[in-house]
């Protein structure tokens, strides 16, 4: 008899049901007796809400979703679901869902229902017409750029990997350079911060790996409410390893309510708090010395001309007219081009000593004066988390928008990196720095490059001045003579060749490279500049995939007025969004004066794609 875990649980459950809600759930598979519907087909999929990625089973009959439940065989949620996931059935059966293509003619004051074929034919014609009219083969310098700056595409974080990859390929083949999505607004500082530390802007560990932690620091997130199933694994660590959950937050959240220790701080003072933890670890000699010497650059000797913020009143050497000349930001090299090292960590120009000087200013007194945290609470947090410097222990950090949404968000995350490297918590089970994504596939959308500055796999996007693939490879492939260095990006030429061959199989590499639209070296094509260009009348057409900038973007009124400058707008979503219907929502504006054509296309949710 072929018995799976799911079939066993169906038998064993005998009508028992359970849904994972917040802090009450563990990691044991849910004993669920699903609503069995005769002749229904069961299809597995992934929950479309937060980034935890819980498994869902959809019951489908005659092409219609008639029931949803947690998947007991899925390794992350094991059948449990939070309140949002439990209510997923409502997405497929909601009278507000779009079911027909809607069209708004120029100057019209209402939608009209149109056929898919008519809409797709008209959209394709408009894209081609505008592209042909605005396509730039060469820039003013005579460099081949193969682009149009009159069409923009935003969105992708609600699409799955295959869709985003196809969309990215289409956008680039069309010559689009104004390409962006949700990550620019939420976790862009994560990419910059973590990539600078570890080469990739992603969670360093897995949700399931949290169970191996001995200390869990939640700073800048609220997983109990926003990522409830992740709490299964926090609780597993607490039950099995006696791990301590530490919550630092301006608010007393549900995460704080169940934490082993909670400390309050003023909003926006995270950087001082983390800096104080770094100084505490150094001052108390709570660093994993063997790890720091062998797996970080702490022992590397820095250029003697370099001066840090501790010496220059908050800035670094090379600052001139608001910009840094980074000539002094380098290591001392030996005759083989390998960085010199001081494994005693005592040389004043080694990275560790410079770091120590940098963070010596973050005394507990100064930190608590800035953050408003009770000094005893601050010391308790530092003591509990830095205890994981011991080789047999590990600690993980969970964060989200509370850390990223600052002008210094990248610095927040780099500080996390410094702290975890000092403690030896990177590359360890139960360790890491884990960005809690708020969209179901904001990570995959970044991986597959729905952002202007990258290509799939985080390859750097080619600039107009990089007129040949050989030049691109030369400028983007780091050189490293150290035999111990992995130098992952030393494989850039291979990765780039693989990508452009996947896109243009029958062309030679240099020709295929020339097909890629190039960006101007010093121009910003990111999210906010898109709407500035639109407001100036430079962008005439835009496709929006599962995003709602008329509500979610900064300066919503400016965004809506910019949308009114478009010739046409294509919005793809489950619902009629404020972006699609901006011509109805702008107070004091007569729809007859807005000439933008709008195509509103209904999308499938993840539970319907099969």
């Amino acid at each position: 008899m072929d018995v799976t875990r799911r079939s066993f649980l169906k038998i064993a459950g005998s009508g028992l049901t359970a849904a994972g809600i917040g802090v009450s759930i563990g990691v044991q598979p849910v004993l669920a007796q699903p609503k069995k519907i005769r002749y229904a087909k069961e299809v597995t999929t992934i929950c479309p809400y937060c980034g935890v990625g819980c498994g869902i089973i959809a019951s489908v009959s005659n092409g219609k979703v008639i029931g949803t439940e947690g998947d007991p065989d899925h390794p992350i949620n094991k059948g449990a679901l939070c309140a949002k996931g439990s209510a997923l059935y409502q997405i497929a059966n909601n009278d507000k869902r779009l079911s027909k293509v809607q069209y708004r003619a120029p100057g019209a004051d209402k939608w009209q229902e149109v056929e898919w074929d008519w809409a797709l034919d008209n959209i394709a014609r408009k894209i081609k017409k505008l592209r042909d009219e605005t396509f730039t083969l060469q820039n003013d310098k005579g460099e081949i750029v193969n682009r149009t700056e009159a069409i923009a595409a935003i969105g992708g974080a609600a699409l799955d990997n295959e869709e985003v990859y196809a969309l990215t390929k289409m956008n680039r083949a069309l010559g689009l350079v104004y390409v962006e999505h949700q990550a620019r607004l939420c976790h862009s500082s994560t990419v910059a911060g973590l990539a600078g530390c570890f080469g990739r802007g992603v969670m360093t560990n897995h949700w399931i790996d949290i169970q191996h932690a001995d200390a869990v620091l939640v700073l800048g997130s609220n997983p109990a409410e926003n990522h409830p199933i992740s709490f299964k694994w926090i609780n597993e660590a607490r039950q099995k390893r006696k791990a301590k959950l530490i919550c630092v937050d301006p608010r007393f959240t549900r995460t704080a309510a169940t934490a082993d220790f909670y400390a309050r701080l003023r909003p926006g003072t995270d950087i001082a708090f983390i800096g104080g933890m770094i100084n505490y670890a150094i001052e108390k000699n709570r660093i994993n010395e063997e790890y720091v010497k062998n797996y970080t650059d702490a022992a590397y000797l820095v250029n003697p001309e370099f001066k840090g913020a501790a010496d220059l009143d908050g800035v670094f050497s090379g600052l001139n007219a608001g910009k840094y000349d980074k000539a002094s930001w380098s290591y001392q090299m030996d005759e083989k081009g390998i960085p010199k090292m001081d494994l005693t960590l005592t040389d004043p120009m080694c990275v560790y000593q410079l770091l120590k000087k940098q963070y010596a200013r973050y005394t507990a007194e100064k930190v608590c004066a800035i953050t408003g945290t009770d000094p005893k609470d601050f010391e308790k947090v530092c003591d509990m988390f830095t205890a994981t410097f011991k080789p047999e222990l590990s600690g993980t950090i969970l964060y989200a928008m509370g850390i990223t949404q600052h002008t210094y968000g990248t610095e927040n995350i780099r500080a996390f990196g410094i702290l975890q490297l000092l403690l030896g918590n990177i590359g360890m089970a139960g360790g890491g720095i884990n960005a809690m994504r708020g969209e179901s596939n904001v990570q995959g959308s970044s991986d597959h490059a729905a952002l202007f500055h990258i290509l799939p796999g985080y390859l750097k996007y080619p600039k107009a001045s990089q007129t040949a693939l050989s030049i691109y490879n030369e400028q983007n492939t780091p050189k490293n003579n150290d035999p111990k260095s992995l130098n992952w990006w030393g494989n850039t030429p291979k990765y780039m060749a693989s990508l452009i061959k996947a896109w243009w199989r029958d062309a030679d590499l240099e020709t295929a490279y020339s097909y890629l639209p190039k960006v101007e070296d010093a121009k910003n094509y990111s999210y906010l500049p898109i709407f500035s260009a639109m407001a100036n009348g430079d962008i005439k057409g835009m496709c929006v995939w599962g995003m709602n900038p008329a509500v979610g973007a900064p300066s919503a009124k400016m965004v809506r007025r910019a949308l009114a400058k478009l010739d046409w707008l294509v919005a793809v979503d489950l619902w009629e969004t404020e972006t699609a219907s901006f011509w109805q929502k702008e107070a004091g504006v007569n729809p007859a004066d807005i000439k933008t054509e709008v195509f509103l296309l209904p999308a499938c949710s993840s539970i319907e794609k099969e």
Side-chain angles (χ1 to χ4, degrees):
M1 181 178 180
D2 186 13
V3 179
T4 65
R5 180 169 63 186
R6 175 165 155 66
S7 61
F8 173 78
L9 292 173
K10 284 182 180 179
I11 299 169
S14 301
L16 294 175
T17 61
I21 300 178
V23 300
S24 64
I25 53 180
V27 300
Q28 293 303 312
V30 172
L31 299 176
Q33 177 65 36
K35 300 185 290 292
K36 298 308 295 178
I37 303 169
R38 196 175 185 184
Y39 305 125
K41 176 185 177 183
E42 292 184 343
V43 178
T44 58
T45 186
I46 303 298
C47 182
Y49 285 109
C50 76
V52 175
C54 295
I56 300 284
I57 297 174
S59 296
V60 181
S61 179
N62 297 320
K64 180 179 176 62
V65 176
I66 55 178
T68 57
E69 58 179 299
D71 183 356
D73 284 333
H74 197 275
I76 294 178
N77 59 311
K78 295 188 176 182
L81 291 173
C82 71
K84 291 181 292 184
S86 298
L88 186 58
Y89 171 78
Q90 298 175 13
I91 285 185
N93 298 274
N94 189 303
D95 59 6
K96 299 297 184 182
R97 275 284 302 277
L98 284 173
S99 59
K100 302 291 184 180
V101 180
Q102 303 295 313
Y103 171 70
R104 187 261 181 183
D109 61 357
K110 60 183 178 181
W111 294 106
Q112 66 180 93
E113 186 179 303
V114 297
E115 295 297 322
W116 270 101
D117 287 346
W118 182 89
L120 292 176
D121 182 69
N122 274 273
I123 291 168
R125 291 178 184 276
K126 290 183 183 300
I127 291 175
K128 185 178 188 305
K129 181 176 183 294
L130 183 54
R131 178 187 183 273
D132 290 347
E133 291 173 350
T134 61
F135 195 77
T136 302
L137 179 62
Q138 295 180 332
N139 62 12
D140 295 339
K141 299 177 182 178
E143 299 161 338
I144 295 177
V145 293
N146 280 333
R147 69 173 182 243
T148 174
E149 295 189 3
I151 305 175
I154 63 171
L159 280 61
D160 61 37
N161 286 344
E162 292 79 7
E163 291 170 328
V164 177
Y165 176 77
L167 179 61
T168 296
K169 182 177 179 179
M170 181 186 76
N171 286 336
R172 299 311 189 183
L174 286 170
L176 272 59
V177 286
Y178 280 116
V179 176
E180 285 288 289
H181 82 98
Q182 178 64 34
R184 188 69 66 190
L185 301 181
C186 62
H187 271 287
S188 58
S189 50
T190 285
V191 176
L194 292 185
C197 289
F198 312 119
R200 283 288 191 276
V202 299
M203 289 177 69
T204 62
N205 294 55
H206 194 279
W207 297 107
I208 297 173
D209 186 66
I210 296 171
Q211 68 180 304
H212 302 300
D214 296 286
V216 179
L217 174 62
V218 174
L219 205 170
S221 64
N222 181 16
E225 293 185 88
N226 296 330
H227 301 79
I229 301 303
S230 72
F231 233 92
K232 289 166 62 73
W233 303 103
I234 295 174
N235 282 342
E236 179 76 352
R238 298 169 78 183
Q239 293 163 11
K240 299 291 180 64
R241 298 182 63 86
K242 307 303 180 184
K244 299 301 182 184
L245 173 60
I246 308 160
C247 179
V248 180
D249 201 291
R251 303 178 304 138
F252 189 76
T253 63
R254 288 193 176 182
T255 300
T258 191
D260 295 286
F261 191 77
Y262 166 67
R264 192 185 302 273
L265 80 170
R266 294 189 180 104
T269 61
D270 317 78
I271 192 89
F273 197 100
I274 306 165
M277 293 184 71
I278 293 170
N279 186 47
Y280 182 94
I282 294 172
E283 288 297 308
K284 300 293 184 181
N285 198 30
R286 286 193 163 192
I287 65 168
N288 189 326
E289 189 170 340
E290 289 304 309
Y291 180 99
V292 167
K293 288 179 179 179
N294 291 287
Y295 299 103
T296 78
D297 66 348
Y300 287 18
L301 299 181
V302 176
N303 189 329
E305 296 181 3
F306 174 81
K307 300 294 181 184
D311 298 316
L312 298 177
D313 194 25
V315 300
F316 298 88
S317 56
L319 183 63
N320 184 22
K323 294 184 179 181
Y324 277 111
D325 176 359
K326 298 182 181 179
S328 64
W329 298 20
S330 59
Y331 298 128
Q332 299 178 34
M333 299 292 186
D334 64 17
E335 64 281 357
K336 295 181 180 179
I338 299 175
K340 295 180 179 180
M341 300 174 66
D342 170 30
L343 292 176
T344 69
L345 302 181
T346 59
D347 190 298
M349 290 311 297
C350 76
V351 170
Y352 179 75
Q353 289 298 327
L354 292 172
L355 179 74
K356 183 176 181 179
K357 182 187 291 187
Q358 166 75 12
Y359 282 97
R361 300 171 297 160
Y362 289 76
T363 62
E365 181 181 10
K366 174 63 71 174
V367 167
C368 292
I370 293 171
T371 64
T373 306
D374 184 290
K376 292 182 180 178
D377 290 347
F378 174 72
E379 184 174 6
K380 182 69 172 179
V381 170
C382 292
D383 177 63
M384 292 176 70
F385 192 74
T386 62
T388 61
F389 83 98
K390 298 176 181 178
E392 67 273 17
L393 301 178
S394 61
T396 189
I397 297 176
L398 307 180
Y399 74 92
M401 301 294 97
I403 285 294
T404 64
Q405 295 294 293
H406 300 282
T407 55
Y408 53 88
T410 298
E411 288 79 4
N412 275 339
I413 295 153
R414 288 299 293 269
F416 276 159
I418 293 169
L419 176 61
Q420 288 292 68
L421 286 169
L422 288 173
L423 299 176
N425 281 331
I426 297 297
M428 302 297 177
I433 304 172
N434 296 315
M436 309 187 83
R437 307 301 196 191
E439 291 262 5
S440 57
N441 202 33
V442 71
Q443 187 61 63
S445 302
S446 299
D447 297 342
H448 293 287
L451 293 163
F452 93 90
H453 72 293
I454 52 175
L455 287 170
Y458 297 95
L459 290 164
K460 292 183 179 179
Y461 201 80
K463 301 176 182 179
S465 62
Q466 295 165 338
T467 54
L469 178 59
S470 57
I471 298 174
Y472 171 91
N473 286 336
E474 175 65 25
Q475 294 182 0
N476 291 312
T477 305
K479 308 297 190 297
N480 196 317
N481 297 326
D482 189 344
K484 294 182 179 180
S485 174
L486 180 62
N487 193 15
W488 189 264
W489 288 114
N491 295 305
T492 292
K494 297 178 183 178
Y495 300 151
M496 192 63 173
S498 178
L499 175 68
I500 59 182
K501 270 299 183 182
W503 286 4
W504 291 287
R505 181 184 59 189
D506 298 326
D508 65 83
L509 292 178
E510 285 289 352
T511 300
Y513 173 77
S514 72
Y515 294 159
L516 284 169
K518 309 300 190 298
V519 297
E520 291 302 318
D521 291 33
K523 188 169 181 178
N524 188 343
Y525 295 86
S526 63
Y527 196 84
L528 292 179
I530 285 177
F531 292 100
S532 295
M534 195 181 301
N536 293 333
D538 298 326
I539 294 177
K540 297 294 186 181
M542 183 167 72
C543 297
V544 181
W545 306 83
M547 285 191 71
N548 192 10
V551 171
S555 189
K557 181 174 287 188
M558 185 276 284
V559 167
R560 297 183 190 202
R561 291 177 177 174
L563 291 170
K565 297 286 189 71
L566 292 172
D567 291 342
W568 51 264
L569 170 68
V570 178
V572 184
D573 216 300
L574 301 177
W575 327 95
E576 177 186 349
T577 64
E578 289 83 353
T579 296
S581 58
F582 75 93
W583 45 275
Q584 297 175 339
K585 305 295 184 181
E586 182 68 23
V589 175
N590 184 352
D593 296 330
I594 299 177
K595 304 305 180 184
T596 309
E597 282 187 88
V598 184
F599 300 83
L600 178 55
L601 309 181
C604 289
S605 70
S606 68
I607 61 172
E608 299 163 316
K609 289 175 183 176
E610 296 293 339

